[in-house]
Amino acid sequence: MPTLISPSGSSPAEAEAFLAAHPEIEAFDIILHDANGIGRGKIIRRHELAGFYKSGRHLPISILGLDICGEDVHETGLIWDQGDGDLRAWPVPGTLKPLHNTTPPRGEVFMSMYTLDGAKMTSDPRHALQRQVDALAAEGLFPAGAFELEFFLLDNDRGPDGKMQPARDVLDGRKSRKTEVYSVDHLHGMMPLFNDIYAGARAAGITAETMISEYAPGQYELTLHYRTDVMQAADDVVRLKRIVRAQARAHGVTACFMAKPNEDYAGSGMHFHVSMMDAAGTNVFVEAVEGQWNPTLLHALGGLRDTMAESMLVFAPHANSWRRFASQSYAPVSPSWGVNNRSVALRIPAGDLRARRIEHRPSGVDANPYLVAATVLAGIRHGMRNRIDPGPETTGNGYEDGAEHAGIPTDWKSAIDAARRSAFLKDALGEDMHRTFTAIKAAEYQRVMRTVSEVDFDLYLHTV
C-alpha cells in the first residue's frame, strides 16, 4: 500500500508508536462525525491501523449526507448528485487513544474527510470549525474554551406509565425520583459508574473535572478542563459522550443525551465557555478595571446577540430540542446578556478577571459541538468586526424578556426557515456545510411531521 501525504497532517509514526506502546489493543474504532455530531465509520483490526495512517481510508461521500436515522438525504447533494462516490478519510493527528473497559481491548481515532486529491471536504463539521479558527488566526486571535456536559442516567426499561425513569444507583439499587440538585450523597450511589467515566477520560487524555447532581431526577453535569484549542474542546465533549454512554451501558443503565427527556423537569444543556487570546497569550476580553467592561468583550456579546436568531437551528437542531426552552427552566429564551446570571443566554461568569470569558448557554447537549463552536466564533468575529453594541445588561430575571419580542424562533420549523435564509450562517459554516445541515434538518422535520404519535391519539381519537 503506497504511502501518501496526509492532508490532515497525520503521520504513520504516530500509529507505529501507539501500537508499540499498546500491544494489548486488538481493534480500533475509526470515527467521522456527521452534521448531527454522530460518529460514523468502521471498526478495523490492529494490523489495518498502519495502512490507514499511510493511505487514508475510502468512505462514500454519502456518509456526510445522512439524517438522524442514518438514511440518505438527497437534498444535500451528497448522494446521487455525486454518484455516491468514495472520498478519502484521514486520521486526525493526536486523536488516537485507548478505550477504557473494552473486551478485548480497543482504541479509537477520529478522522476527517478529504477529496481524492487532498482538498478539504467542506461538508465535514471539523472543517467548518477549522475555517473559523483559521479566520481568527489571520486576525491575530486564538480562541480558547470548554464545554459543559449535562446528561441523564435512566433505567433501561420504562416505568408503568410508559415514560423513562431515573436509573437506580449502580452501587446498591437505591432509587430516587427527587430532584437531588447539588446533593453530594446522591452522587455516591453512582460512584462505580463515575469512576469508570473518569478512568475512560483519563485514558483519552481528557481532564474531566467536577461532577454535579443537576436540576432533575437522574440528571448530572460533568465539567471539562479549559482548552487553548477549541477544536480540542469539541473533540473532548464528543469523545466524553461516547465514554459516558459506553460506561453507563457497562453498568446496566442508559445515558441519555436528549435535550429534554422529561417534560416535567429541566433539560440538558451544553454550555460553551469561550475566551479570546492574542499572539502573546493575553486574554483580549479582560478589562483594565474589574467591572468596566472591555469594548472587545462587549462587541463579541453584540455579535452573538445579533446573530442568535438565525443560528438557533445549530443550537437546537432536533424536534426534542425545542421542548427545552420553557420559562424558568434554566434554558435561555431570549438573546440577553448579563453577569453572574443564569437566566440569560450570554453569561459573564463571576471570578478572576484574568479568566474573563463568555458562557454561551443556548445549546442543548444534543447539538453538534463543532458546528456550535464554529457558529459562536463567527458571531464573535461579526461583533468585533462591526463593533456591535450588545445593549444594556440584563439584571434580575432574564425570563421576563420573552423570545417572541426578540426575533428568536419559537419552534423547530421557524428555526429551519431562518437558518436557510441566513447569509451569516452560510458564511459561518461555509456554503457546503450550510446546505448539508439545513437540508438534513428539513428532511428530519418532514419525518417527524408525518409520524402519527401517541399524543395524536390521546388528544384527538375520541374528541374530534
Side-chain angles (χ1 to χ4, degrees):
M1 183 178 294
T3 299
L4 305 176
I5 297 175
S6 169
S8 72
S10 60
S11 167
E14 181 181 1
E16 293 164 4
F18 187 91
L19 291 171
H22 297 278
E24 76 285 359
I25 291 182
E26 297 185 14
F28 295 87
D29 299 358
I30 60 173
I31 302 167
L32 178 77
H33 294 96
D34 69 7
N36 278 314
I38 295 172
R40 303 193 186 275
K42 303 181 179 184
I43 299 178
I44 62 173
R45 306 305 298 171
R46 179 184 177 89
H47 69 272
E48 297 178 272
L49 186 69
F52 176 40
Y53 271 78
K54 289 176 181 176
S55 302
R57 190 86 176 201
H58 283 116
L59 288 174
I61 190 173
S62 58
I63 200 170
L64 290 173
L66 303 177
D67 68 9
I68 195 72
C69 298
E71 295 187 9
D72 292 340
V73 177
H74 298 281
E75 293 78 7
T76 61
L78 301 180
I79 317 301
W80 298 121
D81 290 6
Q82 306 282 342
D84 198 18
D86 280 348
L87 298 182
R88 199 185 300 270
W90 288 90
V92 175
T95 65
L96 180 56
K97 306 290 182 181
L99 289 172
H100 172 69
N101 200 22
T102 52
T103 305
R106 296 198 327 275
E108 72 174 3
V109 61
F110 293 169
M111 51 186 173
S112 52
M113 191 76 93
Y114 296 82
T115 63
L116 296 181
D117 62 3
K120 292 179 178 179
M121 198 288 171
T122 47
S123 287
D124 182 332
R126 291 187 69 91
H127 295 322
L129 174 53
Q130 190 61 53
R131 184 169 169 269
Q132 291 300 326
V133 171
D134 291 345
L136 283 164
E139 299 168 7
L141 295 170
F142 305 90
F147 289 89
E148 297 175 12
L149 185 68
E150 295 179 356
F151 58 94
F152 282 80
L153 294 176
L154 304 174
D155 271 356
N156 293 338
D157 299 318
R158 301 192 183 202
D161 58 359
K163 295 183 178 181
M164 303 303 298
Q165 51 188 342
R168 295 180 181 274
D169 289 351
V170 299
L171 182 66
D172 56 12
R174 174 181 173 270
K175 189 165 191 173
S176 172
R177 291 186 177 274
K178 296 185 294 182
T179 300
E180 306 269 9
V181 63
Y182 281 93
S183 168
V184 176
D185 289 346
H186 176 65
L187 295 174
H188 295 168
M190 289 293 182
M191 282 310 298
L193 167 55
F194 295 154
N195 288 339
D196 271 329
I197 291 171
Y198 281 117
R202 187 164 53 251
I206 298 171
T207 306
E209 298 182 329
T210 306
M211 182 72 73
I212 301 167
S213 179
E214 260 291 353
Y215 203 70
Q219 188 186 32
Y220 302 89
E221 178 185 286
L222 188 57
T223 61
L224 290 162
H225 191 68
Y226 220 65
R227 294 286 198 181
T228 56
D229 177 351
V230 294
M231 183 71 76
Q232 198 167 29
D235 285 346
D236 281 351
V237 76
V238 294
R239 198 187 296 272
L240 191 59
K241 285 176 74 171
R242 287 197 88 217
I243 291 169
V244 171
R245 184 176 283 118
Q247 299 314 315
R249 189 175 185 182
H251 284 271
V253 300
T254 295
C256 174
F257 297 103
M258 292 171 62
K260 184 80 166 178
N262 189 319
E263 66 266 27
D264 296 324
Y265 294 97
S268 292
M270 187 179 68
H271 304 161
F272 179 38
H273 295 252
V274 60
S275 54
M276 199 70 63
M277 308 298 171
D278 63 17
T282 300
N283 184 353
V284 300
F285 286 168
V286 173
E287 64 269 25
V289 178
E290 187 166 6
Q292 295 180 12
W293 305 116
N294 185 322
T296 303
L297 174 65
L298 292 176
H299 295 150
L301 290 166
L304 292 173
R305 289 198 70 209
D306 192 52
T307 59
M308 190 173 294
E310 55 201 301
S311 304
M312 281 304 299
L313 185 64
V314 173
F315 310 142
H318 306 293
N320 180 258
S321 308
W322 291 87
R323 297 190 173 97
R324 176 171 160 258
F325 296 101
S327 182
Q328 299 181 19
S329 64
Y330 291 95
V333 295
S334 67
S336 51
W337 75 276
V339 181
N340 195 25
N341 186 337
R342 286 182 170 83
S343 68
V344 298
L346 305 168
R347 173 177 176 252
I348 301 176
D352 188 342
L353 65 84
R354 291 172 298 179
R356 187 65 71 219
R357 64 193 186 275
I358 297 169
E359 180 186 0
H360 185 273
R361 296 173 57 81
S363 297
V365 75
D366 56 342
N368 182 332
Y370 299 106
L371 299 187
V372 169
T375 304
V376 169
L377 295 183
I380 289 172
R381 286 182 60 225
H382 170 73
M384 293 190 302
R385 183 170 59 248
N386 295 290
R387 303 180 66 82
I388 296 175
D389 185 341
E393 173 191 345
T394 294
T395 57
N397 186 357
Y399 295 118
E400 293 177 353
D401 296 326
E404 67 274 16
H405 301 303
I408 295 292
T410 57
D411 60 74
W412 193 25
K413 178 62 164 60
S414 299
I416 293 170
D417 291 342
R420 281 183 142 171
R421 293 191 304 265
S422 172
F424 162 77
L425 197 60
K426 183 178 290 187
D427 180 66
L429 302 181
E431 186 172 350
D432 291 338
M433 186 72 251
H434 177 265
R435 182 193 66 249
T436 298
F437 180 66
T438 56
I440 288 170
K441 294 297 107 182
E444 291 172 356
Y445 174 80
Q446 292 299 327
R447 176 189 289 273
V448 170
M449 291 306 295
R450 68 174 177 259
T451 300
V452 181
S453 70
E454 284 301 313
V455 171
D456 291 85
F457 291 111
D458 289 343
L459 293 177
Y460 310 122
L461 178 61
H462 297 294
T463 56
V464 297

